Amino acid sequence: MIHPTDVALALLLGGALGAGLWVMAAGLPSWRTAPVTRRIAPYVRDVTDRTGRTSDQLLRQAPGPAAAAGAWRAAASALDRALGGSESVARRLTQAGLASHVPAFRGRQLAWAALGAGVAAGAAALLAVAGRGNAPLAVMPLVGAIAGAYAADAILTARARARVTRIEEEIPTVLEFLALCLSAGEGVYGSVRRVAEVGTGELTAELRAVSIEVETGAALQDALTRMSRRVAAPALTRAVEHIAAAIERGSPLAQVLQAQAADAREAAARALIESAGRKEILMMIPLVFGLLPLSVLFAIFPGIAMLQVGF
């Protein structure tokens, strides 16, 4: 009769051996002829494939079996169909400032899921070898895979939220710089280009993208509207709408920008006060459950000790 501990040990050692052999095989040079896409990629600009990879990413792609790469892409596509929400993923990728597309993110999410399943399977095997194996350990790889996929999605959400927050913090300063350039006699597009060239930060990077769009023939209002849709920050959307309205109606744009900067600073101050109120409540938790019981213990412990001694 085969003992479950022997099976778990065999799975652990076999998985380690298989992973080591796969790493060695992946590191070996490829003897196959490179595909046409990789051969012409250095000479063609903006070469991409169906997964959204650019020519540089194609050139940096590690050699591996074509069948395994096709199976991996098929698994990533199946994961995308199972999870859905491609529009939400694309929006968060844009908000995070990442150049990758949804298929590439699904591939990374699949890798995170495989890593989580491997770690959970290794932990289950170690528990089984230690003699603590039971039936629920069989679902640990599935739980690990779900946790890995969720972790990849949570990291993307956190990156998108952090970048949008930084952009909202930069809005008042950028608007004041734009108003200063307009007051100095610059045009609207000239002010945007000057701030984009001189400034640093996430919002100025978006303004550089706007400048490139305008230089390639797009209208300034349309480029600003697309920027606000990409970022999807409420404060930036309001500022762009007021700028577009001022340009259409011929209003003094410098005063509009100064008013928008003041409103953005007031909104930031209100958000800071609200955050301080929430953090004040959270600060009460260590005070009530940590410092207060310790102070009470220091106050009553000498009396309890004296009573035990008999004085």
Side-chain angles (χ1 to χ4, degrees):
M1 181 177 179
I2 300 176
H3 198 271
T5 303
D6 298 333
V7 176
L9 184 59
L11 290 175
L12 182 62
L13 296 178
L17 177 62
L21 292 176
W22 176 260
V23 171
M24 292 175 60
L28 293 176
S30 177
W31 296 101
R32 300 186 309 274
T33 304
V36 179
T37 307
R38 293 194 63 190
R39 282 183 285 173
I40 68 174
Y43 311 103
V44 180
R45 187 177 181 182
D46 296 334
V47 174
T48 58
D49 62 352
R50 288 178 299 177
T51 60
R53 293 171 296 176
T54 61
S55 58
D56 295 336
Q57 294 171 343
L58 287 171
L59 292 175
R60 291 196 300 268
Q61 182 182 5
W72 184 265
R73 288 195 293 268
S77 300
L79 180 65
D80 185 30
R81 290 192 298 269
L83 296 179
S86 298
E87 296 181 358
S88 174
V89 172
R91 184 182 68 252
R92 284 178 290 166
L93 286 171
T94 305
Q95 289 179 340
L98 300 177
S100 57
H101 299 269
V102 176
F105 171 75
R106 291 305 187 191
R108 290 197 304 270
Q109 194 173 20
L110 182 61
W112 276 75
L115 179 62
V119 171
L126 289 176
L127 290 175
V129 169
R132 300 180 180 179
N134 48 25
L137 290 180
V139 299
M140 282 188 63
L142 178 60
V143 175
I146 295 174
Y150 177 76
D153 189 81
I155 290 173
L156 175 62
T157 303
R159 292 187 63 176
R161 188 179 295 119
R163 186 170 181 268
V164 171
T165 302
R166 289 196 300 271
I167 289 176
E168 289 179 346
E169 293 174 352
E170 295 172 4
I171 287 175
T173 305
V174 171
L175 291 179
E176 288 180 352
F177 280 147
L178 287 174
L180 181 61
C181 293
L182 288 170
S183 300
E186 288 278 358
V188 180
Y189 171 65
S191 302
V192 172
R193 185 177 60 182
R194 182 176 294 276
V195 173
E197 292 175 354
V198 175
T200 57
E202 300 294 341
L203 185 54
T204 51
E206 293 290 339
L207 291 179
R208 280 192 288 271
V210 170
S211 300
I212 293 174
E213 290 185 14
V214 174
E215 290 176 358
T216 54
L220 178 59
Q221 300 178 19
D222 297 337
L224 290 174
T225 302
R226 282 192 291 269
M227 178 191 69
S228 64
R229 291 176 181 174
R230 285 197 306 268
V231 177
L236 182 61
T237 302
R238 289 194 300 269
V240 169
E241 290 177 353
H242 284 83
I243 292 172
I247 293 175
E248 290 179 357
R249 299 173 182 175
S251 303
L253 191 56
Q255 298 179 3
V256 173
L257 291 175
Q258 290 175 356
Q260 288 298 313
D263 293 341
R265 291 190 184 279
E266 291 178 0
R270 288 194 299 269
L272 184 61
I273 293 173
E274 293 176 359
S275 176
R278 291 192 298 267
K279 297 297 178 60
E280 183 180 1
I281 297 174
L282 292 177
M283 287 175 62
M284 295 295 293
I285 295 176
L287 179 63
V288 173
F289 295 101
L291 296 178
L292 185 59
L294 190 62
S295 301
V296 173
L297 181 62
F298 282 163
I300 66 175
F301 181 75
I304 295 175
M306 295 296 291
L307 290 176
Q308 290 178 350
V309 171
F311 290 99

